[in-house]
């Protein structure tokens, strides 16, 4: 007897979810997301502000988008994510719906329900989609993992460290100075 087929979902299914339901779509599978904690939001806001202030000070055109912001990773209808922070420098990827293709830099802030997704599934998806840099900020473990895919380098830091961004030659974030 054949095994039952697992349903493959599309972006259309994501947009058909009830109002207020947050979910991501990876390889045709829907992953529901819980609302972020206050600390999660504090970290997201502080990091987004630091990055945006740096970009503005340089008068660069890169854009910083905190979640919820749609990223259509593979330019197909089976992959839709909402990274906590997306930095996009190629404006041709931006549409009214979000970003089509890989952002230059993605930061995910780990929540109890997103640990496996952030450390494994998204790490693989972001790398293969062409994201240049991926940070995993884990408040529970006091840890920041930095994957500089462009240089094939990895760094492991704490919330006491200053971390240099790989996509910018003169920008670093001092986590000990963030208001988190």
């Amino acid at each position: 007897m054949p095994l039952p087929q697992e349903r493959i979902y599309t972006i259309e299914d994501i947009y058909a979810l009830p109002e207020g339901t947050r979910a991501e779509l990876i390889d045709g599978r829907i992953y529901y997301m819980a609302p972020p904690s206050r600390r999660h939001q504090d970290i997201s806001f502080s990091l987004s502000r630091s990055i945006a202030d740096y970009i503005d000070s340089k008068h660069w055109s890169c854009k910083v988008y905190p979640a919820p912001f749609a990223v259509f990773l593979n330019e197909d209808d089976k992959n839709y994510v909402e990274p906590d922070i997306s930095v996009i420098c190629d404006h041709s990827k931006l549409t009214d719906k979000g970003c089509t293709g890989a952002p230059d830099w993605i930061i995910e802030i780990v929540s109890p329900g997103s640990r496996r997704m952030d450390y494994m599934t998204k790490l693989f998806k972001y790398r293969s989609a062409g994201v240049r840099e991926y940070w995993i900020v884990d408040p529970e473990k006091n840890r920041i993992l930095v994957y500089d895919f462009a240089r094939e380098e990895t760094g492991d830091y704490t919330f006491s460290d200053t971390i240099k961004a790989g996509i910018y030659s003169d920008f670093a974030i001092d986590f000990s100075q963030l208001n988190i």
Side-chain angles (χ1 to χ4, degrees):
M1 182 154 100
L3 293 173
Q5 292 281 325
E6 184 177 312
R7 179 173 175 196
I8 303 296
Y9 294 92
T10 66
I11 291 168
E12 219 173 270
D13 295 304
I14 291 291
Y15 283 114
L17 292 172
E19 184 75 29
T21 303
R22 289 194 57 214
E24 295 179 307
L25 181 69
I26 297 180
D27 296 329
R29 292 189 64 200
I30 292 179
Y31 297 89
Y32 293 95
M33 299 168 13
S37 68
R38 186 180 59 80
R39 181 149 193 242
H40 182 284
Q41 291 299 86
D42 285 343
I43 294 168
S44 179
F45 179 77
S46 291
L47 290 173
S48 295
R49 182 178 54 201
S50 295
I51 297 165
D53 287 350
Y54 168 78
I55 291 169
D56 289 348
S57 75
K58 297 293 186 176
H59 305 289
W60 289 343
S61 63
C62 297
K63 296 286 192 176
V64 180
Y65 294 98
F69 179 74
V71 174
F72 306 93
L73 272 179
N74 300 103
E75 299 184 36
D76 63 18
D77 69 343
K78 308 231 179 349
N79 289 280
Y80 165 97
V81 292
E82 292 183 3
D84 289 310
I85 301 170
S86 301
V87 178
I88 297 116
C89 298
D90 180 352
H91 288 235
S92 70
K93 293 180 179 182
L94 296 173
T95 69
D96 284 342
K97 288 189 173 193
C99 177
T100 302
D104 294 274
W105 182 11
I106 288 178
I107 298 174
E108 292 285 7
I109 302 159
V110 178
S111 299
S114 73
R115 187 167 302 284
R116 179 182 169 94
M117 181 72 80
D118 294 338
Y119 278 100
M120 295 170 45
T121 306
K122 287 184 176 179
L123 173 64
F124 173 76
K125 288 306 289 185
Y126 292 161
R127 180 181 197 136
S128 56
V131 171
R132 292 170 48 200
E133 187 165 353
Y134 176 41
W135 289 19
I136 302 172
V137 178
D138 192 333
E140 190 175 295
K141 293 188 174 190
N142 187 39
R143 180 181 198 196
I144 302 102
L145 285 176
V146 173
Y147 295 92
D148 185 336
F149 298 135
R151 291 183 183 83
E152 297 185 5
E153 297 174 355
T154 304
D156 193 350
Y157 304 92
T158 71
F159 277 57
S160 301
D161 293 323
T162 298
I163 305 171
K164 187 182 172 321
I167 68 167
Y168 300 116
S169 62
D170 62 345
F171 177 59
I173 296 174
D174 182 349
F175 271 75
S176 70
Q177 297 301 307
L178 292 178
N179 188 15
I180 50 175

